[in-house]
Amino acid sequence: MKNSTSMPAPTEVELKLALPPTQIDALLHHPVLASTPPVQQQLANTYFDTPAGDLAAARIAVRLRQLDSQVLQTVKTAGQGGGGLSSRQEWEWQVPDPSLDQSALAALPPFQNALADKIAALRPTLSTDFTRRSWQLAWQGSKIELVLDEGEIVCGKARAPICEVELELKAGDPEALWSLAAELASQVPLRPSDSSKASRGNALGRQQWPLPDAQHPAEWLHRATVALDAYHDSGDVTHLIAAQQALATLAQHPQLDSAARADAEMLPKALDSAGMPTTAYGAAALNLARRFAYETALR
């Protein structure tokens, strides 16, 4: 949405993949991208919340983005999905300067409840500054925007690197996202990521990385994915151990059929000691995530 907050929120459907920084060149030389020069932009983003963290608790992100001479204000709700795939509501419109348009926020559905009284208390809490390279791809009858983001999340004195690929469905069938991701992962060691930049920044600020509970197979994959995200941002090896334990539990889960079990058993062996994926990890994780899609709430 570009200017009228009275319109229904479009649904953003995207697949997020973490990329080891050492593998950027491999991605850029993948046959899907190698023949098409990307559009490159510098994005400076500021996220807002109350001192008590009311938006983070509601899993809502409010952001101002500086893009060339434009300033865009964005609101995103919590998503549904897992294994890197998310489907969430998003509103975005241009504002005249880098200050919050509070009246427009007040008109949006997420602020029609208890959060209405929190708008005046919103303050900058974290920033994400990164270089974005983007490609507009036609893939299996669908239109997909592929972006590669490289930069940094900053919250107070805490910092974490950004190196991720996002595949956003612009038109067509969401299945095309999985197919494109599998094609990329066949040559580049990617892994699904379930943590948004905002949730990563909030965790950095608190220095707390809570992991979701799990019982069903989709939940164990989600727990492992979030734990890997937490490990790479915190450096705390207990999160890597938690990811390995979640993957081991998933591999033995009685609800898996034989095909899913083969992929699940591959995952613990295909993650290296530093928590980095091999191509085998990416392929198996995406196969499972595709089967489990839409089954877990996202962070």
Side-chain angles (χ1 to χ4, degrees), residues 186-197:
S186 67
Q187 298 184 35
V188 182
L190 299 158
R191 68 168 180 84
S193 173
D194 281 343
S195 301
S196 67
K197 294 179 180 74

Side-chain angles (χ1 to χ4, degrees), residues 17-284:
L17 304 166
L19 175 68
T22 57
Q23 298 300 320
I24 291 173
D25 196 55
L27 177 71
L28 296 177
H29 286 87
H30 191 285
V32 170
L33 302 181
S35 62
T36 306
V39 173
Q40 184 165 312
Q41 298 170 304
Q42 195 68 31
L43 281 67
N45 309 276
T46 302
Y47 288 81
F48 293 77
D49 204 342
T50 66
D54 293 285
L55 296 193
R59 295 193 298 154
I60 293 171
V62 172
R63 180 187 73 203
L64 287 178
R65 167 169 289 174
Q66 183 79 44
L67 177 60
D68 298 325
S69 61
Q70 287 188 324
V71 181
L72 301 175
Q73 183 163 311
T74 307
V75 177
K76 293 189 180 188
T77 64
Q80 285 297 120
L85 184 74
S86 67
S87 175
R88 64 182 86 231
Q89 289 186 307
E90 177 183 6
W91 295 262
E92 185 172 89
W93 65 100
Q94 188 171 348
V95 293
D97 55 63
S99 57
L100 276 185
D101 181 352
Q102 295 190 3
S103 61
L105 285 181
L108 295 178
F111 293 94
Q112 299 302 304
N113 51 34
L115 289 180
D117 295 333
K118 308 296 183 181
I119 293 175
L122 294 176
R123 300 290 185 273
T125 55
L126 64 101
S127 65
T128 62
D129 296 331
F130 51 89
T131 300
R132 167 166 289 180
R133 281 177 272 193
S134 59
W135 295 258
Q136 305 300 321
L137 304 176
W139 182 260
Q140 297 184 344
S142 296
K143 295 181 180 179
I144 297 173
E145 181 181 49
L146 184 153
V147 304
L148 168 62
D149 291 342
E150 298 175 72
E152 190 174 46
I153 300 172
V154 179
C155 188
K157 295 182 179 180
R159 284 168 161 73
I162 296 169
C163 190
E164 63 185 28
V165 173
E166 293 179 355
L167 309 178
E168 183 175 349
L169 186 68
K170 294 299 186 179
D173 188 345
E175 284 296 307
L177 295 178
W178 295 112
S179 173
L180 178 56
E183 178 66 25
L184 295 171
S186 67
Q187 298 184 35
V188 182
L190 299 158
R191 68 168 180 84
S193 173
D194 281 343
S195 301
S196 67
K197 294 179 180 74
S199 69
R200 291 174 61 195
N202 290 329
L204 275 172
R206 296 190 304 266
Q207 288 293 292
Q208 294 178 350
W209 287 265
L211 301 182
D213 295 331
Q215 292 185 346
H216 304 295
E219 294 170 340
W220 282 111
L221 180 62
H222 179 51
R223 180 179 171 88
T225 302
V226 172
L228 285 174
D229 293 339
Y231 170 63
H232 289 295
D233 282 352
S234 68
D236 184 344
V237 72
T238 59
H239 294 305
L240 177 57
I241 294 170
Q244 294 166 333
Q245 291 173 338
L247 293 175
T249 302
L250 172 62
Q252 300 302 316
H253 203 285
Q255 291 182 11
L256 295 181
D257 61 25
S258 58
R261 190 173 305 282
D263 283 323
E265 289 176 346
M266 172 65 68
L267 293 180
K269 298 179 287 187
L271 193 68
D272 72 18
S273 60
M276 291 294 184
T278 61
T279 52
Y281 184 96

